[in-house]
Amino acid sequence: MNPDSPVTEGGVANAAAGTTAVPALQIEEVHAAYDRVEVLRGVNLTVGAGQVFALLGPNGAGKSTTLRTVGGRMKPLKGRILVDGKDVTGKPPEQLARNGICSVPEGRGVFPSLTVAENLRMWTFKGGLRRSEVEEAAYARFPRLAERRKQLAGTLSGGEQQMLAMSRALSTHPRLLLLDEISMGLAPLIVAELYDLVGQIANEGFAILLVEQFAATALGVAERAAIMVQGKIEMEGTPDEVGAAAGELYLGSGAK
């Protein structure tokens, strides 16, 4: 970086364009713990506007805890979380959702006894969203949901349930989308299909921070990636750089 370039909170000036690019997300020296067990130990991470960032690492590294902390489901012990340059540290999930952070947690979280259409209607509850607009956007992005609109969500395949869960997060046009292990329990062909959809969503300009057990799959759609080990970011770089180092940094933990 040119030392004479102006820098502002949450962004670095783009000399060519004469503008300041503010990251969608900044995590600064964040620590978090379950009871007295510290899980995150000074995490620093930046996701650019419209960027797909893959957070990889072995089981227990703190990846999902990072998403919970960013999404407001867990308060950090210290450090800061900024969205669009604004400090949102410790804010509750509902406020963060209004600030443009939406999550697809591990386990999907659809209403199994409601139809697809009824689930989509629930996404509009107290949200100021029109049912017709939510359904139109969901069916355009996930055509299979249109075919299943009268089917109970609990009878959908795992991949279809994941699509439904993602439609909920996308219904509010979030600034930042958090995806936690969306491949969990799914066949490889379904995982590949889901990640094709993630790539399409990214092309629409959404910033995405994703945690994934299948490193190669995640790196295939990411622009930047990092490896987390024991609550710290051990490496960050391009997908090629991170992919080449993953096996060694996972310390023989069976990285995929």
Side-chain angles (χ1 to χ4, degrees):
M1 183 194 307
N2 184 339
D4 296 325
S5 298
V7 177
T8 62
E9 180 184 28
V12 179
N14 183 324
T19 59
T20 299
V22 179
L25 172 69
Q26 289 173 282
I27 303 174
E28 299 180 348
E29 287 296 321
V30 165
H31 293 248
Y34 295 102
D35 295 325
R36 297 183 180 181
V37 179
E38 191 172 35
V39 179
L40 302 183
R41 301 184 293 144
V43 174
N44 291 282
L45 188 150
T46 298
V47 180
Q51 185 179 70
V52 180
F53 195 107
L55 183 59
L56 310 175
N59 290 336
K63 307 183 301 299
S64 293
T65 300
T66 300
L67 294 192
R68 292 188 191 103
T69 305
V70 172
R73 290 178 289 153
M74 186 172 180
K75 290 188 177 182
L77 296 174
K78 56 183 176 180
R80 295 200 307 167
I81 298 170
L82 293 88
V83 176
D84 290 339
K86 298 178 181 179
D87 193 336
V88 298
T89 310
K91 301 295 183 184
E94 60 272 19
Q95 183 171 340
L96 292 176
R98 288 192 290 269
N99 288 338
I101 298 179
C102 287
S103 303
V104 178
E106 183 181 334
R108 298 157 202 155
V110 301
F111 297 97
S113 61
L114 300 180
T115 67
V116 167
E118 289 167 340
N119 268 271
L120 293 174
R121 192 181 311 167
M122 291 297 293
W123 304 165
T124 70
F125 182 66
K126 287 189 176 180
L129 300 171
R130 292 184 179 181
R131 173 184 170 186
S132 59
E133 293 175 349
V134 170
E135 289 190 356
E136 181 180 350
Y139 296 150
R141 189 175 279 118
F142 306 108
R144 195 173 304 170
L145 295 182
E147 301 171 6
R148 307 283 193 270
R149 68 181 73 194
K150 295 182 180 181
Q151 188 171 328
L152 294 180
T155 66
L156 299 175
S157 70
E160 290 165 349
Q161 288 186 29
Q162 197 63 273
M163 293 176 194
L164 184 55
M166 290 169 68
S167 77
R168 174 189 60 207
L170 293 167
S171 64
T172 57
H173 305 286
R175 170 71 169 159
L176 175 68
L177 184 61
L178 307 176
L179 302 179
D180 191 2
E181 299 278 15
I182 64 171
S183 69
M184 184 67 69
L186 301 179
L189 286 176
I190 302 300
V191 173
E193 183 178 355
L194 277 175
Y195 270 92
D196 283 343
L197 291 169
V198 170
Q200 293 171 26
I201 292 167
N203 289 335
E204 295 177 33
F206 292 95
I208 299 174
L209 174 59
L210 63 90
V211 163
E212 183 51 68
Q213 61 176 324
F214 295 107
T217 302
L219 293 173
V221 298
E223 298 171 64
R224 297 286 292 177
I227 297 174
M228 175 175 276
V229 179
Q230 297 182 349
K232 292 184 177 182
I233 301 295
E234 292 292 340
M235 178 188 179
E236 180 180 337
T238 66
D240 286 344
E241 292 168 342
V242 170
E248 180 180 352
L249 288 174
Y250 278 28
L251 303 177
S253 63
K256 299 178 181 178

